[in-house]
Amino acid sequence: MELYAPLFSDPAVDAHFSADAQVRAMLAVEVALAEAHAAAGLISRHAVDAIRAAAQVERYDLQSLARDAARAGNLAIPVVSRLTRETEAIDPAAAKMVHLGATSQDVIDTGMVLQLRAALPSLTEHLERAARAAARHARRHRRTPQAGRTWLQQATPITFGLKAAGWLDALERVRNRLQRAASEAFVLQFGGASGTLAALGPDADVVARSLADGLRLELPSLPWHAHRDRLVTLACALGVVTGTLGKIAMDLALLAQTEVAEAHEEHATGRGGSSTMPHKQNPVSAAVALAAAVRVPGLVSSMLAAMPQEHERGLGGWHAEWEVMPELVRLTSGAARSVGDALEHLAIDTARMGSNLEMTRGLIQAEAVVSALAPRLGRSAAHAIVEEASRRAAAAERPLAATLAEHADVVRVLSAEMISRLLEPGEYLGQADVFVDRVLAAWGRDGEDDA
Amino acid sequence: MELYAPLFSDPAVDAHFSADAQVRAMLAVEVALAEAHAAAGLISRHAVDAIRAAAQVERYDLQSLARDAARAGNLAIPVVSRLTRETEAIDPAAAKMVHLGATSQDVIDTGMVLQLRAALPSLTEHLERAARAAARHARRHRRTPQAGRTWLQQATPITFGLKAAGWLDALERVRNRLQRAASEAFVLQFGGASGTLAALGPDADVVARSLADGLRLELPSLPWHAHRDRLVTLACALGVVTGTLGKIAMDLALLAQTEVAEAHEEHATGRGGSSTMPHKQNPVSAAVALAAAVRVPGLVSSMLAAMPQEHERGLGGWHAEWEVMPELVRLTSGAARSVGDALEHLAIDTARMGSNLEMTRGLIQAEAVVSALAPRLGRSAAHAIVEEASRRAAAAERPLAATLAEHADVVRVLSAEMISRLLEPGEYLGQADVFVDRVLAAWGRDGEDDA
Amino acid sequence: MELYAPLFSDPAVDAHFSADAQVRAMLAVEVALAEAHAAAGLISRHAVDAIRAAAQVERYDLQSLARDAARAGNLAIPVVSRLTRETEAIDPAAAKMVHLGATSQDVIDTGMVLQLRAALPSLTEHLERAARAAARHARRHRRTPQAGRTWLQQATPITFGLKAAGWLDALERVRNRLQRAASEAFVLQFGGASGTLAALGPDADVVARSLADGLRLELPSLPWHAHRDRLVTLACALGVVTGTLGKIAMDLALLAQTEVAEAHEEHATGRGGSSTMPHKQNPVSAAVALAAAVRVPGLVSSMLAAMPQEHERGLGGWHAEWEVMPELVRLTSGAARSVGDALEHLAIDTARMGSNLEMTRGLIQAEAVVSALAPRLGRSAAHAIVEEASRRAAAAERPLAATLAEHADVVRVLSAEMISRLLEPGEYLGQADVFVDRVLAAWGRDGEDDA
Amino acid sequence: MELYAPLFSDPAVDAHFSADAQVRAMLAVEVALAEAHAAAGLISRHAVDAIRAAAQVERYDLQSLARDAARAGNLAIPVVSRLTRETEAIDPAAAKMVHLGATSQDVIDTGMVLQLRAALPSLTEHLERAARAAARHARRHRRTPQAGRTWLQQATPITFGLKAAGWLDALERVRNRLQRAASEAFVLQFGGASGTLAALGPDADVVARSLADGLRLELPSLPWHAHRDRLVTLACALGVVTGTLGKIAMDLALLAQTEVAEAHEEHATGRGGSSTMPHKQNPVSAAVALAAAVRVPGLVSSMLAAMPQEHERGLGGWHAEWEVMPELVRLTSGAARSVGDALEHLAIDTARMGSNLEMTRGLIQAEAVVSALAPRLGRSAAHAIVEEASRRAAAAERPLAATLAEHADVVRVLSAEMISRLLEPGEYLGQADVFVDRVLAAWGRDGEDDA
């Protein structure tokens, strides 16, 4: 047992990559293969029944399978050998019909595809959950002013709704791409020793089609033993999902800083505490997603680096995928679960958003003033004037309004009232509202969660 | 000048990432912005004309731009400042209209998108060229037997056409995905300081649409300053392209080994020579693609690692992309060019393919014998018999036919003639032909190049 | 249970990273901390005894620890809380003395250091075993000619002993660096909440020194909570070890190719078989090491990417290390074990080495001929002549001797006998012997294994 | 010209990797080789003089070299060919003595080593500069209280001097490791075609030693053509340097946030401005170092991934290093320069450090209170009490002192005066001062910069 699995991954996803689930998936491929042979009239229904009965994962000693896999070099060899023995005990004739025409890689790759297909819905459900929560924030806070920050400096005002709409839009994009990559990767692997299905003679194609149908997988034009682009594209899509989750987590962690305090994860008791500091409320969910965002790029690079596989079936590159691909799904699921949780249980302090906007005594509105001055003075001159006024205001800890009022060119062009209005963050939100509406409309489920 | 650029990238692609091209792209964004303002009636056509005249890259001293970019922290600041000055010299009023409403990142990101869009056709043309060459090999050699190799060991026979069809099918997949990722990434960046376009007031949306139209880019629901998933998805697609090119190069390098010698890059004079060994014909094209396949995964991982960008516009992550994204396109183009060249100029030695198939004295047909024995003896028993016969044959350097003939169970089931036929590689090619046809049909341009 | 653990790692190393071992290491830190407090006269020996009694890993329900770690955000919080409860049951007063002055990270980091220290000897023993085997090959085959291969082409002759000496020299370098990095990384982590040890008041330094002594760890100048360079340097050293193992595995895999067949892993029964091809002897050990060499670079890059940790203790970066660092040791150990096995059980076919040297009909001696001609004709002219003769020989499948003999300039300078001698690989081995001796001498244990 | 080079690297380092410098280094190897041959009495001094005269980089057309390198597959081939021609023009006899016994890789690898050796001093000087500045901050601010922050939350007080001492200690460690890795990597490459130096006959060893001496490089036991561990170890050391610089930059960027504002880069005019917001002072130096910390891990992983190079000289892996290794040095130098600049020109706001410590109304002292209560109430009970008081204080925005005063167990144990003192950050700094002294003493140059 890996002690950090419950922290870093979603248990529902994790379950699909247990030793148990892995063997189960491989056995499912073997049973479906027997079915396909039977459908083609090549083996009897009796044989299929015996193989299916023998293919109950409970019959298998996982530790001895692991030991034998270490010797054989892959897991299919001991699984097939055990399945054959188990079948033999039930029906000796049927045992001769196990694994017909397939190679180890057929079973391992197709088994992996089955595991991935089983695991993805939990992951995407977390992404949808995160999207719903982001949508709720976008809707509720579409007019809540907040400091926009660039280069980690307050820049110009935005709304918290706009920030949330950015999250939502990105979550939808990456979820859609993930599903597309998944649907393209869920393809049967069935080629026999070198990808010709020669061992099956003329029946090969019928068996292959039937096997694909039985497993509800696409039948490719030809086996993909050494061409891993579909799987790696899925790995990349997982990587981009995690990157986006990391971006959201980064925002949450920064907003939760003691000195910013505009939003924080509301924790169930015991979450995010400290063994020594009773006041701490650590952003655990953000930490999980950020950790995933640190780890996943390296795993994706391993999948890419493994692509140049030798000839018909590779050496080393293929083996490298076996643990990496599940790890990618697990880490992405943990990040998705965590960001889903954090967005659903996000405590938002709009008052603090407001007071943080006052913190610079008007500097955050510098661009607004430039924009107002530019048509009359030119953008460069306006920029220079406001830059100078900003510098003096900052140095003396005075309001920008005061230093602006001391500037003849400004006073000539803007009344005190106009300046005062220009320094109001809530009056300088631009298209924030429009953008939020557009994102919510594209999402298409506006309002459904607020009943 | 980077001395290895012509080796590792395609000069036609490289040209789109020169200092010159980079500034040109940014200036094109500024001109289009002025056009969009004019279209919205906000500035005069005169101003646009002045800005366009000022935006000729020849007017700019690239070295001083680079120096100033180092001080400012990005390239847009000096470019905009220079553009403003140049415009001023032409029409002082127009100078006030430069860069209105945009932030540095708008110009840098959109400029990068324009460069990427300009560069990709050369790259995809190389991929198409490689695909056409692979198709030709697939068609011509659909019945040329060759040793199939797994784990770098001879396994069972395939055809060289099947190998080439595998390349073709993968090349088409990765090219299609690249184009899809590109079309989704070619999106306008225009949000102003914090992504609200506040500086443009109520005209913002009209200007934005007009700018997108002017540059023929998609207008997104909202700016994507800190959401880099589209760009990173394109980076991933480039990574998968390179991985596939690396796989093909790996096959070519292995086939070209002195001891295999089934295919080699036919070189123009001077290519692949050695400074010391006059007989060498180094597979330079394969080396270039394999080097790219080593370098690109790390670059993709950098793009992924850069994704968690802070708040409205990030610090460090964004900057990390500036040189990495061009490098990815350059390396991928170099790999594509090289694999295109190698496949177009591939000397194929079918005689050697044939003699290599004889090298194991029949062992490569071991599976064929098992398949023939299995229906009568069961797969396990058949496997054990042939394994033992194979071992004896290998140890004594005798033909497998001979050791099989010494086995009572074999002789009982198979005549000498049947054994002899089973040991014929050309008779054990399975669906190779079918698969080749399927791939060529999917490719849909069968025969066009053989005229 | 991870089914592939026995394949990809060394079970003896793996054991140090089990859930059990991880909790045991953390409890060892807590006991040592209590000891240190007692040594400083701050708590009683009774309290230490109670804490030690409570700190038996068997008392802990690992699954519930994992569950609680997921809630708390790290494993130390539930471990400390359980330890406190267990101690309370034994001696309520002692329970107040648990974890005094430490923060979670102190326990987690120091626990990890203890696990790493425990695991490394098995790993280095595999490296030494591999070195001994390489030394044996170097000694035995210091005069066994073999084709030297560059760019995967036969280049000039070497000896197999020289190749093995290269492995030996590299194995020794990487093992030494690993041990140095390890010794520098085995440093106590003990700083309390923010690295000041403030909770311990004036006793802090005494406790810290005593704790370091108790655990036989170095006491650093100050805590290293957010400065991970020592650990990452160790990660890098593991990465370089795996890279070197991958290089050796690459050589072995290439030598084992059916068409080269100069060396292969001699397997125990059942290893490297195929589920479908009875003749296959897959190089499983090479595959394991090559897979590690594909995976480890990505893991090292994650450790590097995690380095910019925030302020006094980071968010996300630190968490990223928890599973990555053990994975690095595990994969490196699996690669070391595999290469050790492969080198110890390497079947070498010197006859085949010899016949492969004949394969090019003399071309492999082209440089030797150039070297002989150069002093008389100049290097360029000699190169051009031999290049031309090589090309003609290759095209016509004739011996190089024959085409050379047709060249007037050659004949003028070299007698037939001289040419014949120049074409003898065994006469063109240069410093191979000297280099082998030098490496064996540096290794310093020459002969010890050949008794 | 790469427009971002002056931003992302140190021009002084960059200069050593220009096209010019690269060819110059290779020519230096050729000249030294001629010298070594002359020293061994194999060629005349005249020949050396001619070769040296011909080896002036100004004689070489870099663009045509680049073009020919693309054809040949490496740069040594055209450089040697041009050098031979240039020498011929001076002294035809000498031209025959060019490049004797060497292979392309000898010249390329040794040339790279020379470039690295030339470039490193500038880089380490930046590291020393950064260390001196950190030492100055550590010394001056050894008693300046500042909020310690963990998980991006205020935790307990530290001093700014302690933070700076942590930087200093790490900078010294990574610089020392870099120099050690460099000294181990600066090793001659000289092996000829396959690493036997066969072309030089019995004189090989004399020439090799003389060449190593001439270039002041270590002579290895044997050539390292396909064993890249020394170079990759240097790459790793660069990676760890950049990681540490990224950590410092992360701290600086976080401290410079508008809402924290405890320290910021003081800029020369024009640095860190915004094209649109006149008030912005972007932390450009931090951005550069953080960008490097994002990019460098991927480059290190490429170096590691390139290690399994084939046989005597590899295909693809070696080529992958040519641009990656220089890029690593360049990026690390840019990060070092930037962090050096930032630390030297760091404006520190101690008043703000003080007021930020007040921000939590005493919560940052929670641990101090627990520590005071623990000896009387037990750690767990004390933790629970203070946790509850902290929560109430936070919810009601009241001082922790007030909610503590309402708790009977607290009042029973601590007087109001004691509580008040416990809530004073300056009284809870633990060993901060001791740690700072220890680091400064280890650094050993205390006070030298404060004159």
Side-chain angles (χ1 to χ4, degrees), chain D residues 73-107:
Chain D
N74 73 53
L75 189 56
I77 291 176
V79 165
V80 169
S81 134
R82 237 52 73 87
L83 173 61
T84 306
R85 254 184 4 230
E86 292 290 325
T87 307
E88 205 156 34
I90 297 168
D91 174 357
K96 298 180 181 173
M97 304 305 161
V98 167
H99 192 63
L100 281 186
T103 193
S104 293
Q105 187 165 358
D106 293 335
V107 180

Side-chain angles (χ1 to χ4, degrees), chain A residues 149-155 256-259 274-280 282 363 366-367 379 383 386-387, chain D residues 149-155 256-259 274-280 282 363 367 379 383 386-387:
Chain A
R149 295 168 178 100
T150 64
W151 296 64
L152 285 178
Q153 304 289 307
Q154 288 197 8
Q257 289 175 103
T258 307
E259 298 83 1
S274 152
S275 69
T276 151
M277 292 164 287
H279 70 289
K280 286 292 288 291
N282 289 325
L363 294 184
E367 190 199 61
R379 218 181 57 80
H383 194 280
V386 181
E387 190 170 26
Chain D
R149 296 169 176 101
T150 65
W151 297 64
L152 285 178
Q153 303 289 306
Q154 289 197 8
Q257 290 174 101
T258 307
E259 298 84 2
S274 152
S275 68
T276 150
M277 291 165 288
H279 69 290
K280 286 293 286 295
N282 290 324
L363 293 183
E367 190 199 61
R379 219 182 55 81
H383 193 281
V386 181
E387 190 171 25

Side-chain angles (χ1 to χ4, degrees), chain A residues 335-370:
Chain A
R337 179 180 52 73
S338 298
V339 169
D341 289 352
L343 290 181
E344 282 185 343
H345 303 285
L346 195 66
I348 292 158
D349 189 337
T350 57
R352 187 64 181 259
M353 289 178 181
S355 61
N356 283 342
L357 274 166
E358 303 300 326
M359 186 165 253
T360 60
R361 296 182 201 86
L363 294 184
I364 197 170
Q365 299 300 109
E367 190 199 61
V369 181
V370 174

